[in-house]
Amino acid sequence: MREAEIRRLGAANLLGVVSIALTAVVPGFFWDGFTVLGTHLAWLCVCSVWVGTLNVILHLVFKPNLSPKRSSFAHKISRFLKCCIYFFMSCILFHAIIVLYGAPLIESVTETFLFAVLLSTFTTLQCLCMLGPNIQAWIRVFSKNGAMSVWESSLQITTMCSILGAWFGAFPIPLDWDRPWQVWPISCSLGATFGYTAGLVIAPLWIHWNRKQLTYKSR
Amino acid sequence: RSLVDHLGNDTLLLVAGDHGMTETGDHGGEGEKEVNAALFVYSKTPLFGPGLPEEPEAVPQVNLVPTVALLLGVPIPYSNIGEVMAELFSGDGDTVSAALQQLLVYHINAKQVDRFLHSYSLVAQDLPAEQLQRLQELFSSAVEEHAQLLAQVQRATLVPPELESRLGSLIGRFQLYLREARAVCTQSWARFHPLRMVGGCTLIAASCLLCYVASELAAAPDSFYRSCLLYPLLWGLVVAVLLGLAHAFTQEGLDLLLVSSWAAAASQLGFFWHWWGWHPKRARLAGSQPPLASIGLRQRLRMWLGLAFPMGILLFRCGAMFSDSFVVGEARGGKLHWDGRLTVAEGPKQQILGFSSYRREIWYLLCLVVMLLVCVRLSGFFHQCREEIPQCRPSLFLSPLASLRNTRAKNLFYLLCVALLAGLVYAVRSWLRRYGNLNSSDPLVLFVRWGFPLVVLCIACYWAVASSADDSLGKLQELVQVAVVAFPWAVYGLASVGLLLLLCNPMTVLAKDTRESAGSIVTPYLGVPSSEVDFLHVIPQIYKRMQESQKSRLERGSCRATVAAYGLGSVYSAALVIALTLLGFLLMLLHSERLTLAFLLLFLEAFVLLHIHTHARGLAGDAEPFSVPWYAVISWLLAASQFFYSTGHQPVFPAIHWNAAFVGFHLDHSTNLLPAVLVGANTFASHILFAVGCPLLLLWPFVCEMPSSQRRKPKKEPREELQEAEEHMMEMRLRESPEKFSTALLQLGLKYLFVLGTQLLSCVCAAMILRRHLMVWKVFAPKFLFEALGFVVSSTCLLLGFSLVMRVDCAVSTWFSQLQLR
């Protein structure tokens, strides 16, 4: 059962990686002059929307958070609205954190905000899909030995990797190489994306590697 | 092309590159393509003859200076050693007149170079004398012949062909002179001592290793310290004396630098020798004790990982020193590393915990981290600019208030600064009061009560006088002159009085003796009164309560009385905080008025850092209360270097605040020492403050012990509270185990020095490896100088801070023994 779960996780993550790669290529066919670097903002939007929808679809297909409890339609609606509010709040929070970390305060607000949206897509949206709007569960997952399933371990790893990637992406900005990708926020968003993909690839491998040590408590 | 169209006939267009580029776009190296750059010369009037060479010879860049200077008709700069480009001086006449013109130019140039070499050789001895002599002869003969030739030309006795050949040869001789002069200078100036460089680097690296090794030897026996730290010092001394004697016998000039470095090398060798000899012994000892030896591989791995993160950050920072753009942008880039480091370092800490029991603590910690980030972000508003970043605008806050035109803004800023100063004093006083250090009537406490406001008053008056417009005061001009000098002196005097008092009697403890014969000391009780009146009520109550409890004990048989000591629990930190505040006043006086904001941020950030450190530690569980973890030391040091930038400094010479030398002095200095001290204190303000405050990293967790536990258990029966108070001994825990205390202090100092030394090492290595780099004199060498000076200042202040703690320790010891005697 565990093996099968890991395989499913691997398939889902592989799909995620491929879809991110496609976001860089596919819009170019429909839209002349679309490049990741040249029209970065458009790419940011496309990537966030695409990864977001993919996550939601995957979530609906795989249903990793075993919550078979039937709930009413109204409950579902309120849950959905709550998720939306949480997502928006996390975007704003990320924006504030990015600004605190040294992004320009007033100029290029759009870029910063879209970057924040991308980051929230990589981190918060996944949490929302997996755990629902339940802060307690989030804290549980992100504290030590808190993960209760393969999916939650994967969530931990990808979240960490995307945030670390975004952080490392800021390193080349002060260099004087005058490359087009050194402009704010391209290197950071690319770093976050690479971190996310790396997380997607690493997570199944790591779980597979450590499957002996990982013991998930049942609820 | 459009520029060329607009040129007049008498205009010369020069386009010169400062460096070339390899095919891959690199520059700044030593390659042929990187060193050579293009020079484009254009003029509407023809300059050159018909026979232009296919491959023109390379022109040294120094030649541009005399050429342009003479073309503009200004004197050649005094220290120029370049040679004019003769082709540009041919004019439009025939060959003879052109040659005469060139000769004249060469003559002027050669005279200037000769004058420079002469005056230079009087000051410095590094140019070899015989070569100078030869140059001198070459010059004088050429000048002689020039004079002769001119006389002949004037008498018109020469026919053109002969004249032309003689002119040519004379020009050749001038050229030869100029080129040889340049070659001699280049040989002497652009010379490195690779051996000495490598030696110096090795010394620094070995010292860092020494610091690291010594700091990792936790709780080593006393004999080890003697053998490892004292004997090597003696070794070094012996070697120094031997070398000195050898030099004295051989009658050679004593190179102090070489002698001291040999001595240092010898003492380091001694240390490593002793350490190596001691190491196997320790291993055997550990082997005999199974619990020590059986640290699991996993645990050790985790320990290494815990160490790896802060060290990785340190390594990153050091690696950044090798990149010129990181050094240039360090003010911004450093911030980025820093934030990330700190927050992420706290991350694992939070992960370790189960969340339920510590949730409130985590939120508190998160709030602290956010506050830290806000501090860091705000401190970015005080940055100075380097000229390498043209779009950068220096911070508004750096200019003195006197330069503000708008009177209202000036008044507003002035009031704000004074209010901030007063707020700082208030904060320090309330902190001291909270920990009960403001109760006694010692001179030091009186100074804190009355001297601090007085200092603030003096500073405020000085700012008022200094920032007022000069002409508005009219007749009071003389008074102002006096006041500008008098107020800073008053501050200097008060601050030194305060520091003296601190040294003489650093105890800020109020002791109440209940019996004439005192035996034991109980309850460093921490009153938290809200007001003076409250306070008066509270003390007798507690006092009575304690008496009662003691009586009950006395009844149990032991004949003991109590001494209630208020503020004993934070006596070390109180002394440090007072010293830091005094230093802060002095340094604020030396900076421009509005940088008070930056200093306030500095104190706030240090406070937040200490709290984060304490809480992270409390959450992780008290593994080793006496050792300060690496991440705390590194973040403390990173904060120091961050505030170097945030107090308006940059590691370049134009950014030094020279006017700090004239605070309290009116335009005259008899010696160079005093202004050097003032400017140095201004430049390294944050280094000084953070280094002096370094022992707080060790002390703070002990100080904060009490309030946190009080908060956790707010309601207590009086009896229990008393027992609780007995348990919470705060800094007196340090007194319980004096060896551990001194070991911890030593370890903390060594860790601090290690981190400082690693930064210095990376700077030195960067300057050494990139010594042929394009930006070495602009970026790496000044950075290296600033870092080296900062290292010296930091380590001195570190020693001062530690000696202050030890002084307090001595005072506490004498206090205890006096109590015992009574």
Side-chain angles (χ1 to χ4, degrees):
Chain A
M1 187 245 138
R2 176 71 79 67
E3 287 297 319
E5 197 83 344
I6 293 177
R7 223 166 290 139
R8 275 171 64 184
L9 176 74
N13 284 1
L14 212 63
L15 200 63
V17 173
V18 171
S19 73
I20 285 181
L22 284 182
T23 55
V25 183
V26 169
F29 296 125
F30 304 111
W31 180 7
D32 272 348
F34 177 88
T35 50
V36 173
L37 297 186
T39 53
H40 189 70
L41 291 187
W43 177 77
L44 274 180
C45 296
V46 169
C47 188
S48 320
V49 170
W50 183 242
V51 172
T53 34
L54 188 83
N55 267 329
V56 172
I57 292 169
L58 280 181
H59 163 71
L60 289 178
V61 171
F62 284 107
K63 286 208 191 311
N65 65 337
L66 323 141
S67 60
K69 262 188 287 176
R70 292 264 159 182
S71 48
S72 65
F73 185 68
H75 182 70
K76 269 184 183 165
I77 287 290
S78 82
R79 212 173 136 86
F80 179 73
L81 283 180
K82 240 182 175 179
C83 281
C84 288
I85 291 170
Y86 272 48
F87 185 75
F88 188 66
M89 268 166 60
S90 97
C91 288
I92 291 183
L93 204 68
F94 266 116
H95 189 105
I97 290 173
I98 293 165
V99 166
L100 279 183
Y101 266 61
L105 186 66
I106 296 164
E107 62 256 38
S108 64
V109 175
T110 336
E111 283 89 341
T112 312
F113 188 72
L114 282 179
F115 176 47
V117 171
L118 186 80
L119 265 183
S120 336
T121 323
F122 288 156
T123 56
T124 321
L125 190 71
Q126 271 196 317
C127 292
L128 284 172
C129 286
M130 210 85 78
L131 307 166
N134 180 0
I135 297 278
Q136 305 285 345
W138 293 19
I139 293 177
R140 170 181 60 75
V141 169
F142 287 101
S143 53
K144 206 196 174 193
N145 294 332
M148 284 188 192
S149 71
V150 177
W151 297 92
E152 289 178 358
S153 297
S154 158
L155 181 70
Q156 274 183 0
I157 292 169
T158 47
T159 310
M160 285 289 161
C161 282
S162 20
I163 288 177
L164 272 184
W167 183 54
F168 278 111
F171 275 80
I173 292 180
L175 293 172
D176 63 348
W177 298 345
D178 288 335
R179 297 298 141 113
W181 46 265
Q182 280 180 310
V183 183
W184 173 254
I186 296 182
S187 62
C188 280
S189 53
L190 287 186
T193 316
F194 283 127
Y196 179 65
T197 39
L200 286 180
V201 174
I202 289 170
L205 296 177
W206 189 82
I207 293 168
H208 181 73
W209 197 261
N210 286 312
R211 63 187 182 283
K212 295 271 159 49
Q213 278 86 13
L214 286 173
T215 47
Y216 296 115
K217 289 170 279 180
S218 58
R219 272 178 212 205
Chain B
R1 184 161 300 154
S2 64
L3 182 69
V4 166
D5 290 339
H6 290 100
L7 283 183
N9 277 340
D10 56 345
T11 311
L12 181 75
L13 176 67
L14 281 171
V15 181
D18 62 338
H19 60 80
M21 199 184 260
T22 61
E23 262 135 34
T24 53
D26 289 331
H27 56 82
E30 297 175 57
E32 187 76 11
K33 282 186 174 167
E34 292 163 276
V35 172
N36 287 346
L39 175 64
F40 174 77
V41 181
Y42 179 84
S43 147
K44 286 217 164 158
T45 45
L47 283 177
F48 304 104
L52 272 180
E54 192 74 11
E55 188 76 21
E57 61 176 322
V59 183
Q61 270 175 341
V62 282
N63 292 6
L64 279 176
V65 175
T67 311
V68 174
L70 285 183
L71 281 175
L72 290 174
V74 296
I76 303 177
Y78 163 75
S79 58
N80 159 61
I81 53 163
E83 167 199 338
V84 288
M85 294 180 226
E87 293 90 341
L88 302 183
F89 291 92
S90 47
D92 44 3
D94 57 347
T95 40
V96 175
S97 69
L100 275 175
Q101 178 79 14
Q102 288 177 0
L103 193 62
L104 176 70
V105 171
Y106 268 117
H107 184 230
I108 296 173
N109 190 359
K111 262 202 319 205
Q112 172 264 329
V113 170
D114 179 64
R115 195 168 54 228
F116 171 64
L117 283 184
H118 182 68
S119 50
Y120 181 81
S121 65
L122 289 182
V123 180
Q125 266 75 43
D126 60 334
L127 295 178
E130 62 268 21
Q131 288 194 6
L132 275 179
Q133 184 66 32
R134 214 172 59 75
L135 281 175
Q136 182 72 36
E137 278 162 16
L138 204 64
F139 173 72
S140 46
S141 72
V143 167
E144 225 168 81
E145 200 185 323
H146 179 236
Q148 276 179 11
L149 196 71
L150 278 190
Q152 282 175 357
V153 168
Q154 277 195 341
R155 272 181 273 131
T157 52
L158 285 171
V159 280
E162 196 194 349
L163 180 66
E164 249 175 70
S165 70
R166 284 192 58 186
L167 279 174
S169 78
L170 191 55
I171 286 177
R173 288 174 71 174
F174 272 123
Q175 269 179 351
L176 181 73
Y177 168 71
L178 288 171
R179 285 182 190 170
E180 289 209 353
R182 206 182 72 232
V184 167
C185 290
T186 315
Q187 209 183 10
S188 167
W189 291 343
R191 181 184 52 180
F192 296 104
H193 296 276
L195 199 68
R196 283 193 179 196
M197 286 180 179
V198 172
C201 274
T202 327
L203 260 187
I204 299 177
S207 323
C208 288
L209 190 67
L210 189 151
C211 285
Y212 181 75
V213 165
S215 71
E216 286 300 293
L217 295 171
D222 207 20
S223 64
F224 168 73
Y225 281 116
R226 202 169 55 232
S227 69
C228 266
L229 298 181
L230 182 65
Y231 293 159
L233 267 185
L234 294 179
W235 281 41
L237 270 183
V238 167
V239 167
V241 169
L242 280 180
L243 274 177
L245 282 179
H247 274 293
F249 280 124
T250 51
Q251 301 291 330
E252 276 177 39
L254 192 69
D255 193 347
L256 206 64
L257 199 69
L258 270 183
V259 170
S260 52
S261 51
W262 275 114
S267 60
Q268 284 180 355
L269 266 183
F271 171 81
F272 286 115
W273 175 263
H274 280 289
W275 176 68
W276 195 251
W278 187 78
H279 200 66
K281 247 190 277 174
R282 192 180 57 147
R284 232 176 298 139
L285 256 176
S288 65
Q289 289 170 344
L292 256 174
S294 66
I295 300 174
L297 185 73
R298 230 187 145 70
Q299 210 167 345
R300 213 177 293 171
L301 197 73
R302 192 193 286 167
M303 212 170 71
W304 272 105
L305 276 181
L307 195 63
F309 198 82
M311 288 296 169
I313 293 294
L314 186 64
L315 212 68
F316 251 130
R317 182 173 152 68
C318 293
M321 305 260 187
F322 286 85
S323 150
D324 60 337
S325 33
F326 265 116
V327 175
V328 169
E330 197 188 341
R332 293 178 297 162
K335 201 167 68 185
L336 169 135
H337 300 207
W338 198 70
D339 292 351
R341 205 208 73 65
L342 225 122
T343 343
V344 185
E346 301 311 326
K349 290 256 172 258
Q350 292 169 32
Q351 281 221 341
I352 289 170
L353 320 162
F355 82 100
S356 55
S357 57
Y358 296 103
R359 236 178 89 205
R360 251 180 66 199
E361 293 280 303
I362 285 186
W363 287 121
Y364 188 62
L365 200 60
L366 277 181
C367 286
L368 283 176
V369 170
V370 167
M371 220 158 105
L372 185 74
L373 285 179
V374 172
C375 276
V376 173
R377 184 72 217 237
L378 284 181
S379 70
F381 288 120
F382 301 95
H383 283 171
Q384 176 75 280
C385 279
R386 298 175 70 115
E387 53 188 71
E388 283 90 351
I389 309 173
Q391 73 273 18
C392 162
R393 293 272 155 273
S395 160
L396 278 178
F397 298 98
L398 292 177
S399 55
L401 272 184
S403 66
L404 265 185
R405 287 271 166 268
N406 187 351
T407 324
R408 254 182 84 186
K410 195 195 267 186
N411 289 340
L412 212 66
F413 272 120
Y414 175 74
L415 284 180
L416 180 67
C417 292
V418 174
L420 286 178
L421 264 185
L424 181 68
V425 170
Y426 178 74
V428 168
R429 279 184 55 165
S430 56
W431 186 86
L432 288 174
R433 186 175 297 135
R434 177 182 156 84
Y435 284 98
N437 290 88
L438 216 54
N439 302 330
S440 76
S441 53
D442 282 341
L444 181 63
V445 177
L446 288 183
F447 182 82
V448 173
R449 284 176 166 231
W450 304 112
F452 275 16
L454 205 62
V455 172
V456 171
L457 193 71
C458 284
I459 294 180
C461 290
Y462 169 66
W463 284 347
V465 175
S467 64
S468 62
D470 283 334
D471 46 347
S472 65
L473 289 166
K475 287 178 191 167
L476 296 174
Q477 203 60 254
E478 287 171 16
L479 203 64
V480 168
Q481 297 286 340
V482 173
V484 162
V485 177
F487 282 122
W489 273 101
V491 177
Y492 294 149
L494 278 172
S496 45
V497 165
L499 289 176
L500 271 180
L501 282 177
L502 192 64
L503 277 184
C504 290
N505 185 13
M507 297 284 290
T508 47
V509 173
L510 173 67
K512 284 211 170 177
D513 221 335
T514 50
R515 298 291 153 95
E516 45 281 285
S517 63
S520 72
I521 299 95
V522 189
T523 63
Y525 178 76
L526 304 161
V528 197
S530 50
S531 72
E532 214 52 48
V533 185
D534 208 348
F535 198 67
L536 288 176
H537 281 297
V538 167
I539 292 178
Q541 278 175 10
I542 299 166
Y543 191 47
K544 261 178 211 159
R545 209 176 286 157
M546 276 165 25
Q547 260 186 334
E548 281 163 18
S549 75
Q550 290 301 314
K551 254 179 206 160
S552 68
R553 255 193 224 175
L554 283 174
E555 282 160 13
R556 261 182 266 145
S558 62
C559 298
R560 285 192 172 175
T562 56
V563 173
Y566 298 88
L568 193 57
S570 57
V571 60
Y572 297 103
S573 340
L576 272 176
V577 166
I578 292 171
L580 279 177
T581 321
L582 279 173
L583 281 177
F585 284 143
L586 282 181
L587 296 173
M588 277 184 225
L589 184 71
L590 293 180
H591 280 83
S592 83
E593 294 89 345
R594 280 179 286 177
L595 281 179
T596 317
L597 284 161
F599 274 94
L600 202 79
L601 273 181
L602 184 149
F603 282 113
L604 187 66
E605 188 172 318
F607 186 74
V608 170
L609 264 182
L610 285 172
H611 264 285
I612 289 181
H613 163 53
T614 307
H615 280 272
R617 189 143 194 209
L619 289 180
D622 274 332
E624 279 177 64
F626 283 100
S627 79
V628 180
W630 279 102
Y631 72 83
V633 178
I634 291 177
S635 56
W636 195 249
L637 257 165
L638 286 178
S641 49
Q642 176 214 342
F643 273 100
F644 170 75
Y645 295 101
S646 295
T647 45
H649 298 288
Q650 283 283 349
V652 284
F653 294 108
I656 295 177
H657 300 182
W658 295 110
N659 46 4
F662 301 104
V663 176
F665 295 91
H666 205 259
L667 297 181
D668 53 336
H669 276 294
S670 47
T671 60
N672 283 335
L673 191 67
L674 202 61
V677 168
L678 290 177
V679 172
N682 172 295
T683 306
F684 297 107
S686 78
H687 289 83
I688 292 173
L689 286 177
F690 277 97
V692 171
C694 178
L696 283 178
L697 282 175
L698 176 67
L699 301 173
W700 206 264
F702 292 104
V703 174
C704 289
E705 197 176 65
M706 179 75 172
S708 63
S709 64
Q710 265 189 345
R711 204 176 48 226
R712 226 176 278 163
K713 301 160 190 168
K715 284 188 176 177
K716 281 274 169 190
E717 293 297 304
R719 270 295 160 78
E720 280 174 348
E721 189 179 308
L722 200 73
Q723 280 166 1
E724 188 82 350
E726 258 181 292
E727 277 171 23
H728 291 290
M729 301 177 62
M730 294 174 54
E731 284 177 355
M732 285 304 108
R733 266 182 215 287
L734 295 166
R735 295 265 333 154
E736 271 188 332
S737 44
E739 323 80 44
K740 267 192 173 174
F741 180 34
S742 46
T743 313
L745 270 183
L746 180 67
Q747 276 186 358
L748 177 63
L750 286 172
K751 279 179 177 175
Y752 199 82
L753 281 181
F754 169 75
V755 179
L756 265 181
T758 332
Q759 286 181 18
L760 179 67
L761 178 67
S762 64
C763 265
V764 172
C765 284
M768 183 180 86
I769 292 169
L770 303 171
R771 62 181 181 274
R772 301 270 183 205
H773 191 275
L774 181 70
M775 302 296 265
V776 68
W777 302 116
K778 209 63 185 272
V779 174
F780 294 111
K783 173 79 185 153
F784 161 52
L785 284 180
F786 273 82
E787 196 76 17
L789 268 180
F791 178 79
V792 172
V793 171
S794 286
S795 39
T796 317
C797 290
L798 187 73
L799 285 182
L800 288 180
F802 279 99
S803 47
L804 179 63
V805 172
M806 277 146 90
R807 170 79 193 95
V808 179
D809 199 39
C810 289
V812 173
S813 299
T814 47
W815 188 75
F816 271 117
S817 57
Q818 273 174 6
L819 278 184
Q820 223 106 67
L821 280 179
R822 237 185 273 164

